[in-house]
Amino acid sequence: MAAADAAIARVYREEAGRLTGSLVRILGNFDVAEEAVQDAIVAALEKWPQEGVPAQPGAWLQTVARRRAIDRLRRDSNYQSKLALLMEPERSAPPEPDDRLRLIFTCCHPALSREAQVALTLRTVVGLTTPQIARAFLTSEATVAQRIVRAKRKIVDAGIPYRIPEPDTMGERLREVLAVLYLMFNEGYLSSSGDEPHRRDLAEDAAWLAGLMVRLMPEEPECWGLLALMTLHIARADARFDSQGQLVRLQDQDRTRWKRRQIAEAVGMLERAGGFGRPGPYQLQAAIAAVHAEARAWEDTDWAQVLQLYNALLQMVDSPVVRLNRIVARRYVDGPEAALDELETLTAALDGYHLFHATRGEFLDAAGRAGDASAARRRALDLTDNPAERELLLKQLA
């Protein structure tokens, strides 16, 4: 049964977005598509533990989802033409590999609010749960759920087409599409919930889609910047967890395990982006990651340059999380006491964010305030469900 559950979880991660996208392309209806995929998952949960995992689990899930959608449409005379389209793919080639990207562009239509665009895409394409999306937005689950429902209704009522827009209108959705891929990557790089501390397949999938965006929009430097950022992080993925699956902090990682060729490729992407003369947030974040990646040891990190890059990033994205990361860099330039004073100004904005309290614990330790540091780490422990982060915090508390 455990093997069946693991197979279902893996196939859901790998196929749900693609399958939902292919069904939405045919049906033009999010609700029917999502219900069909969820019905297929339920069927797998019922059958696979008794009958065994099929040789091609993805194809099995696809077949069942299509049959459930057909059953639903047969009860609706208005969908006869779509029913014929839905039945045809079982006798033809598989859906195009960019179905998810079509779905992302549909979800990111300018008729929807930016928050609704990103929330709907993360739910429909990536398969994140409402609580996971709420954590990414640092907002309530009820707010996220309401955004998703309203966005679906708007797409249906406005007749928003399921397609990648023409090149001359693609740019108006670029920011939201890149934001979705960025959040998708972050969830894969370090899971916000669940038993797995990270989902490397999801992170690499986001990088693949970012690469597709580069091919679609090669003159957009932020596409290159995002792909460079993802590539730099993936290049050191092998060193982020030890043999027991415990999280290894950046300063403690074995840098000989970092993939130097990937780092060089990412730096090349960043240089290409810089050649356009239009800097943006993803380019700056990639430049920060590159400074870390090119340092052969933690002690060689050019913290002054990192701080300068964060100062530039704040001019574009003045958010509490960016300020938090900038303060971390400032610690290594101006010392922990000065950084701690600035950190305290973020308490109201980030009191529900576990990394704020974990960072505060580090600063308090460096300032010799062990008791306060332990209290901050206990607060961080209360706010994260990631097993690797929890294990690291428990180790620090011990």
Side-chain angles (χ1 to χ4, degrees):
M1 183 171 292
D5 289 345
I8 293 168
R10 177 181 59 78
V11 173
Y12 181 77
R13 289 197 304 266
E14 295 173 356
E15 301 293 340
R18 292 184 179 90
L19 182 52
T20 303
S22 67
L23 292 177
V24 171
R25 172 167 49 86
I26 296 169
L27 303 172
N29 189 304
F30 276 90
D31 291 333
V32 174
E34 284 190 309
E35 284 178 18
V37 174
Q38 293 303 319
D39 285 349
I41 293 294
V42 171
L45 288 167
E46 293 172 350
K47 293 181 180 295
W48 292 8
Q50 282 76 38
E51 301 176 4
V53 179
Q56 294 182 304
W60 188 98
L61 197 67
Q62 182 181 57
T63 299
V64 173
R66 287 182 179 279
R67 288 174 180 169
R68 297 301 169 93
I70 288 168
D71 290 342
R72 167 82 178 263
L73 293 180
R74 277 178 174 148
R75 298 192 293 269
D76 188 342
S77 59
N78 295 326
Y79 280 85
Q80 291 305 311
S81 60
K82 293 179 179 179
L83 180 59
L85 288 173
L86 188 60
M87 296 177 72
E88 184 176 345
E90 293 197 5
R91 302 190 298 272
S92 61
E96 297 178 25
D98 63 344
D99 265 333
R100 287 172 303 158
L101 202 57
R102 294 176 190 270
L103 189 53
I104 289 172
F105 271 102
T106 301
C107 293
C108 292
H109 193 279
L112 307 176
S113 70
R114 183 172 189 272
E115 293 82 2
Q117 290 171 4
V118 179
L120 177 61
T121 312
L122 290 174
R123 181 72 190 92
T124 306
V125 182
V126 185
L128 298 188
T129 64
T130 300
Q132 287 173 324
I133 299 170
R135 290 190 187 96
F137 278 105
L138 298 181
T139 190
S140 71
E141 294 178 28
T143 299
V144 170
Q146 192 175 55
R147 288 174 184 170
I148 292 171
V149 169
R150 287 177 176 172
K152 287 181 182 178
R153 188 180 302 129
K154 179 77 172 182
I155 286 175
V156 174
D157 293 345
I160 292 173
Y162 172 78
R163 65 167 184 255
I164 294 176
E166 296 301 318
D168 59 340
T169 60
M170 202 180 294
E172 64 187 9
R173 307 189 203 182
L174 178 63
R175 187 178 71 154
E176 283 67 37
V177 171
L178 295 185
V180 165
L181 296 180
Y182 177 71
L183 291 170
M184 176 180 175
F185 180 85
N186 285 348
E187 180 62 27
Y189 197 65
L190 195 64
S191 301
S192 61
S193 63
D195 296 331
E196 299 178 82
H198 67 124
R199 294 168 55 186
R200 188 163 174 176
D201 58 333
L202 183 60
E204 291 178 346
D205 211 22
W208 184 85
L209 289 169
L212 188 55
M213 284 298 302
V214 163
R215 293 194 291 276
L216 282 172
M217 307 180 74
E219 303 302 311
E220 287 293 339
E222 280 290 81
C223 293
W224 288 101
L226 180 60
L227 182 58
L229 176 63
M230 293 177 177
T231 303
L232 285 163
H233 283 310
I234 289 173
R236 65 180 185 87
D238 290 344
R240 291 183 63 237
F241 296 89
D242 63 19
S243 57
Q244 284 75 46
Q246 295 185 358
L247 189 65
V248 181
R249 298 181 304 171
L250 179 61
Q251 56 263 49
D252 300 322
Q253 289 177 15
D254 178 1
R255 300 187 179 214
T256 63
R257 300 183 64 193
W258 292 4
K259 292 182 170 60
R260 292 292 164 186
R261 193 169 95 177
Q262 277 187 297
I263 291 172
E265 289 173 355
V267 170
M269 296 173 198
L270 194 54
E271 290 172 349
R272 177 162 181 172
F276 291 102
R278 287 180 280 137
Y282 295 116
Q283 295 170 69
L284 287 170
Q285 290 180 72
I288 292 166
V291 173
H292 288 294
E294 292 181 319
R296 292 288 173 169
W298 172 256
E299 295 75 20
D300 298 333
T301 306
D302 188 345
W303 287 107
Q305 185 180 3
V306 172
L307 182 59
Q308 184 178 10
L309 288 166
Y310 270 120
N311 287 336
L313 182 59
L314 269 177
Q315 299 302 311
M316 299 179 183
V317 184
D318 189 355
S319 75
V321 173
V322 173
R323 287 190 173 275
L324 173 63
N325 291 328
R326 178 196 169 276
I327 292 168
V328 172
R330 187 188 174 195
R331 169 191 173 182
Y332 295 101
V333 176
D334 299 327
E337 290 285 0
L340 182 59
D341 288 341
E342 186 177 356
L343 185 69
E344 300 291 6
T345 65
L346 296 178
T347 301
L350 294 177
D351 186 54
Y353 185 46
H354 71 284
L355 289 180
F356 166 75
H357 296 283
T359 301
R360 187 166 177 270
E362 294 280 345
F363 285 15
L364 289 165
D365 248 349
R369 295 165 57 183
D372 291 335
S374 294
R377 286 174 175 136
R378 283 193 293 271
R379 173 66 174 149
L381 193 62
D382 290 338
L383 292 170
T384 181
D385 294 325
N386 184 281
E389 288 184 309
R390 291 182 62 83
E391 187 65 31
L392 179 60
L393 287 164
L394 288 169
K395 184 186 297 184
Q396 291 171 332
L397 282 167

